[in-house]
Amino acid sequence: MRRLGGLALATIAFAACSPQAPAQNANDSAPIENNAAAAVPTDGVPQTGLRQVPLTIRSATGKHAFTVQVAATPEEQERGLMFTRTLAPDRGMIFPYEPPRDIAFWMKNTLIPLDMIFIRTDGTIARIYTAQPLDMTPVPSLEPVAAVLEIAGSRAAELGIREGDRVEWTR
């Protein structure tokens, strides 16, 4: 997945499994293939070596523990979970944003379904969306968020995780 930034009234970044290079034209609403693709390796290999931290989601159904990779830099976010072929039910990746921002994710080069969990600055879940592999449709946060968590597709529904639940992780 990739992210492209653009300016309208606010900056909206297109990301997914990873964030993308900035758009050249502030009025573009679609990713710019030649810009964004240049920043992401096309070797077809998932990224490794990212810092891993514990993450907990507190919901009406209980505490749900995950171990997540932190995609902290623009390059790590750009690559995200691209080319990953499997994701254990207790694993994921978090994309922190400082300052919080409106963001959109898509599934370019992402081979597995993912739940995109958009997280507000107070740690509550703003939105959950289950994205399908290789879908290029941008999925917006619909409000400024401090992070996006990606876990295996449909896992949030399986665990009863909902909007308003609280997410905690080591930053």
Side-chain angles (χ1 to χ4, degrees), residues 25-87:
N25 183 342
N27 297 320
D28 286 348
S29 60
I32 299 173
E33 224 25 67
N34 56 358
N35 262 354
V40 177
T42 57
D43 57 11
V45 177
Q47 69 177 319
T48 59
L50 299 182
R51 181 170 65 104
Q52 295 187 38
V53 299
L55 179 142
T56 302
I57 300 175
R58 296 179 188 277
S59 73
T61 59
K63 288 174 48 176
H64 308 287
F66 295 86
T67 300
V68 298
Q69 294 178 301
V70 180
T73 69
E75 296 78 17
E76 291 167 351
Q77 292 178 348
E78 179 91 20
R79 185 73 181 251
L81 289 171
M82 286 183 180
F83 309 112
T84 298
R85 296 191 179 277
T86 62
L87 187 61

Side-chain angles (χ1 to χ4, degrees), residues 91-128:
R91 297 292 178 151
M93 183 175 282
I94 192 145
F95 301 77
Y97 296 102
E98 182 58 44
R101 65 194 67 171
D102 287 312
I103 194 141
F105 275 55
W106 60 343
M107 297 288 285
K108 181 169 184 167
N109 294 326
T110 305
L111 308 175
I112 56 174
L114 294 171
D115 283 347
M116 298 175 187
I117 301 174
F118 297 89
I119 305 166
R120 296 181 183 103
T121 56
D122 67 359
T124 59
I125 296 173
R127 181 174 191 208
I128 301 171

Side-chain angles (χ1 to χ4, degrees), residues 7-28:
L7 295 176
L9 295 176
T11 299
I12 296 179
F14 288 102
C17 222
S18 55
Q20 292 144 9
Q24 287 182 353
N25 183 342
N27 297 320
D28 286 348

